[in-house]
């Protein structure tokens, strides 16, 4: 993974901690940490983001599924302790028919059970598109979860540009206003990472279909404003566009070309 990232001139990389569909079988393999660290430093691979399996549901109505989510997150976090400068991102979940308040409470409970004062890894909640009964598509919902977590300094947010657009935040025409709203409800200092994706659908569609950079409804100009925005430009950006390695290489090269040097 790290070698692939470096081969396409990436300076960030995201990986799934295990099979994204959430099987128990194939757990995170961090066998060669020292070699990885040296490699990452040499090649300026500065940010790593671990992504939890997206099938976990920390607010399922089924207590066994909540327990499974809790154990998986706890196990991932304990393994990630051996990897420095890594954040751990997860999808808050689907509240099904239980209502948003119950969903928020279940998620916060799990975080309160698994987070420890000693851990180094920052845990990020991802902004969601609002498909079905997804929790976390309104900033208020993420803010509510964060407010119920005791170890708040271990928590942050990962903003997914496709998801926020699909959920109804107009980052094409109203980027400043959306960031202002984020700041008031969640707090911009909590924003730790950006998933940079175009979207196949219109703002407010609540669909979640990622498009290649510049080939969706968000468009290249808006995405370039995002990577250069004074409140965002320092953040690590991760592509989750439907691409193979050469497609990512092209997008990285395009975006690096359009990323303006610091004006200081
Ligand atoms: Fe995600
Ligand atoms: Fe994402
Ligand atoms: Zn998505």
């Amino acid at each position: 993974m790290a070698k692939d990232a470096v081969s396409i001139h990436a300076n960030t990389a995201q990986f799934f901690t295990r099979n994204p569909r959430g099987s128990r079988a194939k757990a995170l393999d961090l066998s060669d940490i020292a070699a990885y660290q040296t490699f990452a430093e040499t090649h300026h691979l500065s940010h790593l983001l671990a992504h939890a399996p997206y099938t976990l549901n920390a607010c399922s109505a089924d207590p066994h599924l909540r327990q499974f989510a809790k154990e998986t997150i706890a196990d991932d976090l304990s393994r990630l302790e051996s990897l420095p400068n890594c954040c751990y991102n997860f999808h808050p979940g689907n509240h099904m028919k239980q209502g948003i308040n119950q969903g928020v409470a279940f998620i916060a409970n799990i975080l309160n059970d698994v987070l420890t004062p000693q851990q180094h890894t920052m845990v990020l909640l991802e902004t969601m598109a609002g498909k079905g009964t997804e929790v976390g598509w309104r900033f208020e919902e993420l803010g509510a979860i964060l407010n119920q977590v005791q170890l708040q300094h271990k928590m942050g947010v990962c903003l997914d540009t496709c998801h926020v657009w699909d959920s109804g935040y107009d980052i094409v025409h109203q980027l400043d206003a959306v960031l202002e709203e984020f700041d008031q409800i969640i707090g911009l200092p909590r924003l730790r990472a950006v998933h940079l994706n175009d979207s196949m659908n219109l703002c407010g569609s609540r669909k979640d279909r990622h498009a290649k950079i510049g080939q969706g409804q968000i468009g290249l100009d808006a995405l370039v404003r995002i990577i250069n925005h004074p409140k965002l430009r320092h953040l690590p950006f991760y592509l989750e566009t439907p691409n193979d390695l050469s497609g990512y290489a092209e997008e990285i090269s395009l975006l690096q070309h359009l990323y303006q040097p610091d004006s200081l």
Side-chain angles (χ1 to χ4, degrees):
M1 181 271 296
K3 286 188 176 139
D4 278 348
V6 165
S7 78
I8 58 174
H9 304 288
N11 56 4
T12 68
Q14 176 174 248
F15 62 100
F16 280 103
T17 53
R18 55 190 81 211
N19 182 319
R21 295 209 171 273
S23 84
R24 277 171 193 274
K26 204 177 166 191
L28 177 63
D29 177 18
L30 297 174
S31 50
D32 213 351
I33 304 289
Y36 163 75
Q37 276 177 250
T38 314
F39 181 84
E41 275 164 34
T42 320
H43 295 93
H44 310 289
L45 191 58
S46 55
H47 289 85
L48 266 192
L49 185 56
H51 197 306
Y54 47 72
T55 47
L56 290 188
N57 190 2
C59 58
S60 171
D62 179 344
H64 297 102
L65 293 179
R66 292 202 302 278
Q67 181 67 20
F68 176 68
K70 179 163 95 177
E71 284 169 9
T72 305
I73 293 171
D75 185 48
D76 281 350
L77 287 176
S78 78
R79 288 164 191 273
L80 289 170
E81 277 306 287
S82 46
L83 205 54
N85 301 321
C86 184
C87 287
Y88 180 66
N89 174 66
F90 80 104
H91 295 183
N94 293 279
H95 67 68
M96 313 308 283
K97 289 181 177 150
Q98 307 173 92
I100 185 64
N101 292 337
Q102 180 64 76
V104 163
F106 278 146
I107 296 159
N109 284 346
I110 284 188
L111 288 165
N112 283 328
D113 284 344
V114 301
L115 295 178
T116 64
Q118 302 81 17
Q119 73 179 68
H120 298 105
T121 308
M122 177 85 72
V123 176
L124 310 184
L125 298 167
E126 181 165 352
T127 61
M128 301 310 294
K131 245 185 317 147
T133 63
E134 270 175 355
V135 177
W137 66 287
R138 303 295 310 165
F139 296 160
E140 287 82 358
E141 299 175 0
L142 296 174
I145 297 170
L146 293 169
N147 284 337
Q148 293 180 32
V149 172
Q150 280 138 22
L151 297 172
Q152 294 200 8
H153 60 294
K154 304 292 181 189
M155 294 294 306
V157 170
C158 171
L159 184 146
D160 185 307
T161 55
C162 168
H163 296 178
V164 290
W165 168 257
D166 282 21
S167 75
Y169 294 101
D170 186 353
I171 51 174
V172 174
H173 305 99
Q174 306 281 342
L175 180 59
D176 284 327
V178 171
L179 293 178
E180 179 64 35
E181 195 172 336
F182 186 102
D183 193 34
Q184 279 178 9
I185 296 168
I186 298 175
L188 272 173
R190 286 218 167 106
L191 182 55
R192 296 307 179 106
V194 176
H195 285 166
L196 194 73
N197 303 309
D198 213 325
S199 168
M200 293 182 30
N201 293 291
L202 297 174
C203 185
S205 63
R206 298 180 63 179
K207 286 263 176 48
D208 191 5
R209 301 275 312 276
H210 299 193
K212 295 182 186 189
I213 298 299
Q215 295 185 26
Q217 298 294 331
I218 299 176
L220 182 61
D221 289 353
L223 292 168
V224 168
R225 284 195 294 275
I226 286 167
I227 61 171
N228 284 304
H229 194 284
K231 290 179 175 161
L232 304 175
R233 53 178 292 112
H234 61 285
L235 291 166
F237 294 92
Y238 302 87
L239 294 169
E240 296 177 315
T241 46
N243 272 309
D244 55 14
L245 199 58
S246 68
Y248 286 124
E250 279 172 37
E251 289 187 347
I252 289 167
S253 146
L254 172 71
L255 292 164
Q256 283 177 347
H257 188 71
L258 294 167
Y259 183 70
Q260 287 149 13
D262 268 315
S263 50
L264 293 173

